[in-house]
Amino acid sequence: MVVMFMISFLLLGFIIYGYKKGNENTKDISIQHLAPVSTKPSNSKSSKLSVLHLSDLHLENISISPAELYEKVKDHPIDVIALTGDFLDRKRTIPKLIPYLEVFQKLSPTYGTFAVFGNHDYVLRKEPFQQLERLLQDYDCQTLRNETVTIQTKDGTLNIIGIDDFSTKRSDLKESYENVENGYNLVLTHDPNIVMHMKDYHFDYLLSGHFHGGQICWPKPYHLVKMGKLVRLNMVKGLHFFDGKPFYISEGLGQTGLNIRVGSRPEITFHQVDISSADSLEMTS
């Protein structure tokens, strides 16, 4: 009996320590900078477009406050803010999004803030989902659901293509590309598995999230195995290529389920995009 009690006590201690350490990891935010290297000549006078990419805020489980987020990004030039879904999944959490949206407004990106939705956002359904979408729009965040916004920058045409969530079968590639003009195609989407279906739909760069880098990778993120072909190809975070085209999978800022991370880190990512190098890119980080 004493031995069993000691074993149970030690096991409980291990669990408590593990949870505490995992929770601390959610505060260890990585800031990544990636820059495109063109394989075709670009305009020597062109300048890089700075895209701040944030994904998977999961406001029920996020360890960075709006003020802390602002301090981490305020000194970086920002032309576009790209938000790739999974803001929250409970109606009562919607007001918690407001101070983060105020941060995005305060950052004043040159060409605006753009967002797509993820599978957790669609848990809201009907009126609560519409409330979330209206809130984003009220704070100058343009939501894209299988549609394109075309921006004329000083260096050329930028198409921001927002593809709706693939995992909940809301993606419509034909509709998303319906109004795309000749220029640089920057795709925003939540579930990166959509790239496996984009052989006939050109993109110069694609930003996504969804996997949280596994969130709990001990020793590997086995729990992701049902989340699509990319996982089975060991593509769960960072930079990858499909058919020669680059796409990036963010580890996200928040967590789902338990507010812990093991073997992964929340991240903020800056992408330097050369609009004049459309159609032919390699990447360095």
Side-chain angles (χ1 to χ4, degrees):
M1 183 67 70
V2 174
V3 173
M4 289 299 296
F5 175 79
M6 290 300 296
I7 291 174
S8 299
F9 181 79
L10 290 172
L11 181 59
L12 179 61
F14 177 78
I15 292 172
I16 293 173
Y17 171 80
Y19 183 87
K20 182 179 179 181
K21 183 63 177 176
N23 182 259
E24 289 175 355
N25 290 341
T26 66
K27 303 176 179 67
D28 183 21
I29 296 171
S30 169
I31 300 181
Q32 303 287 339
H33 295 266
L34 291 96
V37 177
S38 177
T39 59
K40 78 173 190 178
S42 62
N43 186 341
S44 60
K45 296 182 180 180
S46 68
S47 58
K48 300 287 177 64
L49 194 76
S50 178
V51 180
L52 168 60
H53 177 210
L54 301 173
S55 193
D56 297 84
L57 271 66
H58 286 287
L59 293 176
E60 288 82 12
N61 287 311
I62 189 169
S63 296
I64 183 172
S65 70
E68 289 169 335
L69 175 60
Y70 179 72
E71 287 300 314
K72 286 183 180 295
V73 302
K74 68 176 183 177
D75 295 326
H76 299 271
I78 301 172
D79 295 304
V80 171
I81 297 177
L83 308 173
T84 52
D86 273 10
F87 297 95
L88 46 88
D89 56 19
R90 298 174 191 168
K91 180 180 178 180
R92 66 176 180 268
T93 312
I94 293 175
K96 188 176 179 179
L97 180 59
I98 293 174
Y100 291 92
L101 295 177
E102 290 174 339
V103 167
F104 303 147
Q105 282 186 319
K106 191 174 179 179
L107 291 171
S108 299
T110 308
Y111 300 108
T113 300
F114 302 87
V116 293
F117 295 104
N119 54 302
H120 279 261
D121 302 313
Y122 284 114
V123 169
L124 292 172
R125 302 179 184 275
K126 298 182 179 179
E127 175 54 33
F129 175 80
Q130 293 170 8
Q131 183 181 345
L132 170 62
E133 185 170 36
R134 286 195 301 269
L135 182 65
L136 286 161
Q137 294 168 351
D138 287 345
Y139 281 85
D140 303 322
C141 177
Q142 186 159 354
T143 57
L144 301 174
R145 300 167 67 184
N146 295 318
E147 55 193 308
T148 295
V149 170
T150 298
I151 299 169
Q152 298 301 327
T153 77
K154 59 185 177 59
D155 295 313
T157 299
L158 171 65
N159 296 305
I160 299 181
I161 304 166
I163 303 175
D164 213 348
D165 181 51
F166 177 76
S167 67
T168 54
K169 297 180 171 55
R170 288 178 167 85
S171 298
D172 188 325
L173 288 168
K174 183 177 180 181
E175 186 176 353
S176 299
Y177 275 76
E178 187 173 359
N179 296 312
V180 171
E181 299 183 12
N182 185 34
Y184 188 98
N185 289 353
L186 174 65
V187 171
L188 309 183
T189 196
H190 180 65
D191 183 350
N193 282 296
I194 189 69
V195 300
M196 309 299 290
H197 302 267
M198 294 183 68
K199 188 173 182 63
D200 297 326
Y201 292 89
H202 173 70
F203 61 87
D204 293 285
Y205 199 26
L206 181 148
L207 300 176
S208 63
H210 192 43
F211 298 140
H212 305 183
Q215 187 170 320
I216 300 175
C217 305
W218 191 67
K220 291 183 179 181
Y222 294 112
H223 56 288
L224 295 183
V225 71
K226 295 181 180 180
M227 293 181 69
K229 189 172 181 180
L230 288 181
V231 175
R232 296 189 287 276
L233 294 173
N234 198 32
M235 297 182 181
V236 298
K237 62 181 178 180
L239 177 70
H240 300 278
F241 289 83
F242 171 74
D243 197 28
K245 295 174 289 188
F247 66 99
Y248 191 83
I249 307 173
S250 170
E251 294 192 60
L253 259 186
Q255 293 68 235
T256 188
L258 296 175
N259 192 26
I260 62 174
R261 282 185 182 255
V262 179
S264 67
R265 295 173 65 186
E267 75 172 3
I268 295 167
T269 314
F270 290 93
H271 303 265
Q272 305 301 317
V273 174
D274 186 351
I275 301 300
S276 67
S277 68
D279 195 36
S280 186
L281 293 175
E282 291 179 351
M283 298 293 298
T284 60
S285 62

